[in-house]
Amino acid sequence: MAGLTKQAIRSSCIKLLNEKKTYQQITVKDIVEDCGINRNSFYYHYQDLPSLIEEIITDEADRLIRDYPRIESIEDGMRAAASFALENKKAVLHIYHSANREMYEQHLWRICGHVAEAYINTAFSEYSIPETDKQIIIRFHKCECFGIITDWLSSGMKSDIIEVIRRLCDIRKGMTKEMFRRCEEENSDKNK
């Protein structure tokens, strides 16, 4: 029963954020009225509204990381990183333009890091390059993913992020493979 109540609270919060209310306009009273529970039930599960928002964002980040242990293409990874925002545009914009922005960005940074690392470890496992070079390439992809998504969020999610990701991946096709090839070649030259 407690799990159902907690899920009802989370669903109501996301629903209210997706409808018309900004983060600042939502109250605990709005949430409990929407899901048909009393205030004590809310406070049994959450200290306050910010702790509820943080748990929602943390759980979404954890779910994405769990659901995508392997990523075959950077396009698939970037789409996965943007998926929660695409499904909950208004809610994410309300959170992004609130005092919780930094917390949201920290979790997005973690997701983008996972996307980059899972992609590199899956798609380029046959390459033998120094770990320092591999970490630089992972960091590059993490920053690329984070930059594309935060730019989209900052501009109010007006562009078609899926099309932007698709086009970017078309333009940069082969770039990561070339990075690995160069690192492998340089490493081979050093070892001669």
Side-chain angles (χ1 to χ4, degrees):
M1 185 71 157
L4 292 175
T5 302
K6 197 170 186 177
Q7 185 55 45
I9 293 168
R10 291 168 55 134
S11 296
S12 289
C13 181
I14 292 170
K15 175 185 162 201
L16 291 169
L17 284 168
N18 271 322
E19 286 176 349
K20 56 185 175 266
K21 294 197 174 224
T22 66
Y23 174 78
Q24 293 81 2
Q25 293 172 320
I26 293 177
T27 64
V28 170
K29 181 181 178 194
D30 294 329
I31 293 169
V32 300
E33 285 178 358
D34 185 75
C35 63
I37 63 169
N38 62 43
R39 291 175 70 86
N40 290 338
S41 294
F42 177 92
Y43 289 112
Y44 174 79
H45 295 286
Y46 299 102
Q47 179 181 349
D48 52 20
L49 195 54
S51 66
L52 167 60
I53 296 294
E54 182 168 8
E55 183 176 293
I56 290 169
I57 293 168
T58 301
D59 286 354
E60 278 304 311
D62 292 345
R63 181 196 58 78
L64 186 127
I65 290 167
R66 184 182 59 250
D67 289 353
Y68 293 90
R70 295 176 46 84
I71 297 174
E72 300 290 333
S73 75
I74 194 67
E75 183 175 353
D76 290 344
M78 290 175 74
R79 283 180 185 204
S83 64
F84 182 75
L86 282 167
E87 293 165 11
N88 298 284
K89 279 187 172 184
K90 283 185 181 179
V92 168
L93 278 177
H94 289 314
I95 293 168
Y96 191 74
H97 293 296
S98 74
N100 291 302
R101 177 185 196 150
E102 184 177 334
M103 184 248 314
Y104 182 82
E105 285 181 341
Q106 287 172 352
H107 288 289
L108 180 60
W109 185 247
R110 184 168 66 102
I111 290 167
C112 293
H114 169 74
V115 163
E117 189 167 0
Y119 167 60
I120 296 302
N121 289 336
T122 302
F124 299 95
S125 60
E126 75 276 5
Y127 286 87
S128 178
I129 67 171
E131 186 62 26
T132 54
D133 287 347
K134 182 179 174 185
Q135 290 305 314
I136 289 169
I137 294 169
I138 289 171
R139 185 180 306 149
F140 171 78
H141 287 296
K142 175 177 156 179
C143 293
E144 177 183 47
C145 182
F146 183 81
I148 292 291
I149 294 172
T150 55
D151 180 63
W152 174 62
L153 290 168
S154 294
S155 67
M157 299 176 162
K158 291 184 176 98
S159 62
D160 179 351
I161 190 66
I162 297 302
E163 180 56 27
V164 169
I165 291 168
R166 187 201 63 73
R167 184 64 185 133
L168 173 66
C169 290
D170 283 348
I171 292 167
R172 63 184 298 291
K173 194 171 203 136
M175 188 173 83
T176 305
K177 187 174 185 176
E178 179 62 17
M179 291 170 138
F180 270 87
R181 189 198 63 72
R182 286 181 183 185
C183 290
E184 201 170 54
E185 186 178 282
E186 287 175 10
N187 193 41
S188 168
D189 289 345
K190 285 179 186 175
N191 292 329
K192 285 184 182 179

